[in-house]
Amino acid sequence: MKQKPLAYLKSLNANYSQKLHRCRWSPEDAQEIVPRLITFLDDPDPFVQQETLRALFDIGTPALAAGPRVVELTRSSELMTRIVAVQALGQIAHTDPKMCIGPSIAALPDSECRVHALRILEFLGPAAAEALDHVLPYFDSPLAKQRAHVLRVAAKIAPTDPKVIALIQQAQTDRSQEVRKRATKLA
């Protein structure tokens, strides 16, 4: 008899998630665990979904097969599910930019998911070129940390793009010392 989702997830998280981390280097372990986790993403309990997304995050790229379902959960009505889904997507699907870029762009307007979406786009760098025009408007944020992050992401995506160069120049006179420092490093 198979364990219920939460009991199974608890067993996977035992011993500092050793079973989950082993999946990163053991295709056999990943082939055993990932398909079952994918079925848990359809559980109606948001907590089960969130814990499953965390497990997939721990597994990383060997859980890429879960990507399409994780993408769906980036649009969940549950805030925490959306956040964890965006985080998990970046961890499991960063080797497949086409799977990450659209959902990351879609997550940018969600202030709770934005930082995670920006991290994904930053990691993808030039592969996320189509996201640049979606990232740049967030430089208008009143939050200095977000402006600095947007600046860094834009520079990773397209460092020679005239819009990014203009943004870096603009940022050198920003009211925030943190943003000015970041701009100076990028100039």
Side-chain angles (χ1 to χ4, degrees):
M1 182 169 108
K2 289 193 174 190
Q3 292 173 301
K4 292 187 177 190
L6 287 176
Y8 183 70
L9 289 163
K10 185 176 180 180
S11 75
L12 292 177
N13 286 315
N15 297 321
Y16 303 101
S17 303
Q18 185 178 29
K19 289 180 184 177
L20 296 172
H21 293 285
R22 194 171 54 227
C23 289
R24 292 182 180 197
W25 298 278
S26 169
E28 296 81 21
D29 287 326
Q31 288 171 356
E32 176 190 332
I33 293 173
V34 171
R36 184 143 185 223
L37 291 176
I38 292 171
T39 67
F40 294 169
L41 293 174
D42 292 325
D43 193 289
D45 183 349
F47 184 73
V48 170
Q49 291 177 345
Q50 293 159 20
E51 289 303 305
T52 302
L53 289 163
R54 287 183 182 96
L56 293 167
F57 178 96
D58 284 345
I59 292 170
T61 56
L64 182 61
R69 185 64 181 110
V70 173
V71 166
E72 291 175 22
L73 290 173
T74 65
R75 298 182 299 271
S76 172
S77 61
E78 292 286 332
L79 173 62
M80 188 53 66
T81 302
R82 280 195 317 273
I83 292 170
V84 181
V86 172
Q87 291 171 334
L89 182 65
Q91 188 70 8
I92 69 173
H94 62 268
T95 57
D96 185 354
K98 289 184 190 288
M99 188 179 297
C100 288
I101 295 169
S104 296
I105 291 170
L108 288 172
D110 185 337
S111 63
E112 300 295 330
C113 294
R114 185 174 305 132
V115 69
H116 308 295
L118 286 169
R119 284 185 186 135
I120 293 169
L121 297 171
E122 179 180 8
F123 183 81
L124 293 174
E130 68 188 79
L132 182 62
D133 288 336
H134 299 276
V135 168
L136 293 176
Y138 292 99
F139 186 75
D140 293 337
S141 171
L143 304 173
K145 275 189 165 196
Q146 183 170 305
R147 290 194 310 276
H149 196 179
V150 166
L151 190 61
R152 192 173 69 236
V153 173
K156 279 280 196 172
I157 291 173
T160 60
D161 186 291
K163 292 179 271 190
V164 175
I165 292 169
L167 185 66
I168 291 169
Q169 290 170 344
Q170 174 188 346
Q172 289 176 326
T173 61
D174 193 89
R175 65 186 177 275
S176 163
Q177 181 180 7
E178 177 183 359
V179 176
R180 290 192 310 269
K181 282 182 179 180
R182 173 67 55 196
T184 301
K185 286 181 182 179
L186 295 170

